[in-house]
Amino acid sequence: FVGLTILNGIMVTIAVRSYTGTVVSHPYEKGLNYNKTIAAAEAQEARGWKGDIRHEGKKLYFTLENESGQPVALKEVKANFFRPTQQGYDFNQVLKFDTVGNYSAEVNFPLPGLW
């Protein structure tokens, strides 16, 4: 019984110390906008545009083609990076125009891992 109590105490201590504080900001508003998000995704799919994202080393590449396979020119392309397991590290990166339909940026992630 004593060993189990000590083990539980260790597990609770590890859990409390390693808590990353993952919290969704403004959950009520995000819930209200859920249908808008779904409608925007359906509208994007109906266009027939196809995008491709590649990440090689520190370089991020994005290409966009219309339903005919022709490159699409955009005023601005911005990538949003989210750290799902820790607060405070989310950031945005504007991608530079290389050629019509091709955009890139050098991205320096503040922490290793999945983004």
Side-chain angles (χ1 to χ4, degrees):
F1 179 73
V2 172
L4 185 58
T5 304
I6 291 172
L7 181 61
N8 283 339
I10 291 170
M11 296 302 285
V12 167
T13 302
I14 291 171
V16 169
R17 287 185 180 171
S18 64
Y19 176 66
T20 60
T22 303
V23 177
V24 175
S25 59
H26 308 291
Y28 179 72
E29 290 82 2
K30 286 189 180 197
L32 290 177
N33 290 325
Y34 180 74
N35 288 337
K36 289 180 184 176
T37 302
I38 297 295
E42 289 172 349
Q44 179 69 23
E45 189 174 323
R47 280 189 185 133
W49 291 8
K50 295 190 190 313
D52 181 51
I53 299 173
R54 289 182 298 118
H55 186 249
E56 297 173 6
K58 290 187 172 191
K59 202 80 161 159
L60 178 71
Y61 299 95
F62 173 70
T63 57
L64 184 62
E65 297 177 345
N66 65 18
E67 67 280 352
S68 303
Q70 300 300 314
V72 175
L74 301 170
K75 280 191 214 178
E76 180 180 74
V77 174
K78 182 171 36 172
N80 300 312
F81 297 94
F82 299 96
R83 182 84 172 170
T85 58
Q86 278 180 301
Q87 278 184 308
Y89 292 100
D90 300 348
F91 66 98
N92 301 321
Q93 177 76 45
V94 175
L95 281 70
K96 295 183 306 184
F97 171 81
D98 290 337
T99 59
V100 175
N102 295 300
Y103 307 86
S104 67
E106 186 170 318
V107 180
N108 293 308
F109 293 100
L111 295 174
L114 297 175
W115 288 82

